[in-house]
Amino acid sequence: MIDSARIASLADTPLSPRQHLIGGSHRPAEGGGSLDVVSPRNGEFLTTIANGSAADVGLAARAARRAFDAGVWANQPPAARKKVLVRLAELIEEHAYEIAVLGVRDNGTEIGMALKAEPGSAAGSFRYYGEAIDKIYGEVAPTDPGHLGLILKQPVGVVGVIVPWNFPLMIGAWKIAPALAVGNSIVLKPSETASLALLRIAELALEAGLPEGVLNVVTGKGSVVGEAIGLHNDIDVLAFTGSAFVGRKLLEYSAQSNIKHVYLELGGKSPNIVFSDTPDIDKAVAAAVNGIFRNSGQVCVAGSRLLVEESIHDEFVDKLKAGTEKLKVGDPLDPDSDIGAINSEVQLGKNLEYVTVAEQEGAKLVTGGKRTCQDSGGYYMAPTVFDDVRSDMRIAQEEVFGPVLSVLQFEGEEDAVRIANSTDYGLAAGVWTSSLGRAHRMIRQIRSGVVHVNCYGGADITVPLGGMKQSGNGHDKSLHALDKYTALKTAWISL
Ligand code: NAD
């Protein structure tokens, strides 16, 4: 049950200007500059964040390296690190409303989802990796009796973390929690349109007992702060979530600097495939609606291509239209809103451009296609469905990252697989069928990091998330995520 009164009491609290958090202290940007934070709810000025520079990244990287080399965190026993991370999880839970409302004011996600997916999920991640870290062992190699071969996992050193504006806490914690658990220090750069909640988490981390300099946050523009992190010679690993466009740049920065490992969680154009033998058409419709429109489609695994088998197409699209038009778009802090705001005016503009492109390419607008709730002053878009989409259209190939669904028809399994695999992306997929054999064939043939069967979305912290093709490399979540933040070291001992 959502506490509406609590949300209302936090909704308009004045916010003081925010600064970087470096070496355990708040610091203004070196050049003294700041960026305005505008709320997508109503277009109103909220506060400012520090407009960081390469000099700020340098300070943060030095603080992180100093903390790492001094061993203030890395050399603490795993059980001690666990205590801090579990305490941080508790603090996040204690401050869940404050953090969720702060995040929603900054990025526009509907509050019901934000409470679960942001503080809720972040707390879960800190607890999961905190609890895990004193239960992981190294290995002893099967050597001859005259030698001992040890296989050790050590922290890599300083990790650069760059995250996007959708679900900044959930995605941030998927990287920060495992990186901290194994003993690394971090330089974190949140998105310029969603920095506030992550800055708050970093403050809570200090309160939980994380030593100063272990988690540093530098805010500002991607092209400045992000680039400086990418190029920094003293950052050992880069963990990124965002667009393929920026992911490519990070690989270049790595090549131009210290060849740091670059782990990329990128975009998607995920196919949600409904066969005529779907066990429950209404459930498939509801999941298709939820799978694209929650958080206004600003979800990396959004089922943005709906592939429907020809024989059920008309019935499905009728139900889809009805389900979509039932959604209430409005203030993300109103628990009755099904869909909140688009993160920024720029992103709203991009979404609307895709509507024009789709119409020009001959797709049929079923519903939506326009800006809405304009009186609020915020950035809202009506959930939009296009039918008669062909696989070669831009609307079927490019990630919109907004509430825009493309419906494509197929006939039979082979056709479904061909269309599903026909984009550069490979993040997620859904398959709806009553046939166990078909479900397994589809799981094998669809080139995506995850395939959902008779559901869409979900998957808890125990299951890795990563992309194939241009959706990225490496994995967030689960114990597999620890591999990104640990260096395998061996010792060969003569006995
Ligand atoms: P973006 O790539 O524009 O920005 C992501 C981050 O990179 C931001 O912090 C930004 O400031 C920074 N950045 C921008 N330019 C940079 C540069 N030149 N050098 C270094 N950093 C730079 O992405 P976005 O618009 O914030 O987020 C949307 C994208 O994120 C979508 O493509 C979405 O699919 C993807 N995403 C992927 C996942 C996943 O797990 N695969 C999850 C969420 C979002």
Side-chain angles (χ1 to χ4, degrees):
M1 182 70 184
I2 293 182
D3 186 342
S4 306
R6 190 111 178 255
I7 294 165
S9 72
L10 292 161
D12 300 308
T13 325
L15 300 175
S16 56
R18 282 356 193 210
Q19 300 184 328
H20 303 314
L21 193 64
I22 298 177
S25 306
H26 293 285
R27 285 185 70 104
E30 275 289 283
S34 62
L35 296 174
D36 286 353
V37 178
V38 172
S39 179
R41 280 178 70 210
N42 48 22
E44 284 174 10
F45 171 83
L46 269 183
T47 182
T48 58
I49 52 170
N51 188 9
S53 63
D56 296 306
V57 171
L59 286 175
R62 265 198 298 286
R65 176 60 60 186
R66 256 199 314 273
F68 185 74
D69 288 348
V72 290
W73 177 244
N75 290 347
Q76 284 195 26
R81 295 202 299 267
K82 162 182 165 172
K83 207 169 158 195
V84 172
L85 294 182
V86 170
R87 179 65 193 134
L88 174 56
E90 290 165 0
L91 284 173
I92 293 172
E93 282 162 351
E94 285 164 23
H95 292 80
Y97 271 85
E98 174 213 330
I99 296 167
V101 171
L102 184 66
V104 170
R105 292 172 77 189
D106 199 6
N107 83 342
T109 299
E110 45 276 8
I111 186 69
M113 160 156 277
L115 276 164
K116 266 192 258 151
E118 288 284 274
S121 164
S125 293
F126 284 107
R127 184 169 282 115
Y128 177 85
Y129 289 106
E131 291 286 0
I133 203 59
D134 61 353
K135 299 168 190 71
I136 292 171
Y137 296 77
E139 294 167 39
V140 176
T143 59
D144 68 84
H147 291 93
L148 178 63
L150 298 181
I151 302 171
L152 309 166
K153 289 183 177 178
Q154 297 197 329
V156 289
V158 178
V159 177
V161 175
I162 303 180
V163 290
W165 41 261
N166 69 319
F167 306 118
L169 293 191
M170 176 173 79
I171 292 169
W174 285 347
K175 299 176 194 306
I176 299 166
L180 288 181
V182 293
N184 296 291
S185 296
I186 291 177
V187 177
L188 165 69
K189 185 226 166 296
S191 166
E192 43 275 57
T193 58
S195 294
L196 305 183
L198 275 170
L199 279 165
R200 186 72 186 112
I201 297 288
E203 291 170 351
L204 292 178
L206 287 171
E207 200 179 320
L210 192 71
E212 293 177 354
V214 175
L215 175 58
N216 305 278
V217 189
V218 182
T219 56
K221 292 184 183 153
S223 56
V224 179
V225 174
E227 182 185 84
I229 291 175
L231 286 171
H232 204 286
N233 279 319
D234 213 15
I235 291 179
D236 302 290
V237 161
L238 197 54
F240 172 75
T241 293
S243 62
F245 176 79
V246 175
R248 272 196 181 82
K249 283 184 183 286
L250 296 175
L251 292 169
E252 286 170 17
Y253 301 151
S254 165
Q256 288 162 21
S257 55
N258 59 342
I259 321 187
K260 56 180 70 64
H261 286 278
V262 179
Y263 294 105
L264 304 172
E265 305 289 332
L266 306 176
K269 193 73 194 177
S270 300
N272 184 13
I273 306 166
V274 189
F275 285 95
S276 54
D277 67 349
T278 174
D280 181 339
I281 196 164
D282 292 320
K283 191 174 163 205
V285 169
V289 169
N290 189 43
I292 178 66
F293 296 127
R294 68 202 163 118
N295 198 19
S296 298
Q298 304 166 130
V299 178
C300 55
V301 294
S304 54
R305 286 185 297 152
L306 180 66
L307 276 54
V308 185
E309 194 153 30
E310 268 179 355
S311 57
I312 57 163
H313 168 269
D314 293 354
E315 180 191 359
F316 202 95
V317 171
D318 284 347
K319 287 176 182 258
L320 181 70
K321 180 174 189 295
T324 302
E325 289 175 350
K326 263 196 224 135
L327 296 172
K328 182 176 172 230
V329 183
D331 183 355
L333 285 180
D334 177 352
D336 289 336
S337 300
D338 297 307
I339 298 185
I342 304 296
N343 176 256
S344 67
E345 197 161 17
V346 174
Q347 184 63 38
L348 175 62
K350 281 189 196 164
N351 297 346
L352 294 171
E353 258 175 56
Y354 272 107
V355 171
T356 310
V357 167
E359 285 180 324
Q360 283 167 352
E361 286 185 315
K364 184 172 121 197
L365 183 65
V366 175
T367 185
K370 53 183 191 306
R371 185 173 184 169
T372 184
C373 308
Q374 226 157 329
D375 292 350
S376 66
Y379 318 129
Y380 298 86
M381 181 166 172
T384 300
V385 177
F386 278 104
D387 196 8
D388 295 346
V389 175
R390 287 190 325 270
S391 195
D392 60 348
M393 290 179 180
R394 283 182 61 195
I395 198 74
Q397 290 293 323
E398 297 173 21
E399 183 186 46
V400 178
F401 217 59
V404 181
L405 177 63
S406 298
V407 182
L408 297 90
Q409 292 190 49
F410 70 90
E411 207 181 346
E413 262 175 62
E414 209 178 301
D415 201 26
V417 171
R418 182 185 58 77
I419 297 172
N421 287 340
S422 71
T423 74
D424 290 337
Y425 292 110
L427 192 56
V431 175
W432 296 81
T433 178
S434 298
S435 158
L436 191 60
R438 168 178 280 166
H440 280 281
R441 285 191 295 278
M442 297 299 284
I443 291 169
R444 286 164 74 101
Q445 292 178 86
I446 295 173
R447 293 193 63 204
S448 67
V450 55
V451 179
H452 303 99
V453 177
N454 294 335
C455 62
Y456 196 89
D460 63 20
I461 187 72
T462 62
V463 178
L465 174 67
M468 289 186 174
K469 301 198 279 183
Q470 291 181 34
S471 287
N473 59 22
H475 287 88
D476 280 335
K477 300 167 59 190
S478 83
L479 297 183
H480 291 283
L482 296 168
D483 293 344
K484 297 197 288 192
Y485 309 110
T486 44
L488 213 58
K489 186 183 242 180
T490 57
W492 182 251
I493 303 169
S494 176
L495 299 175

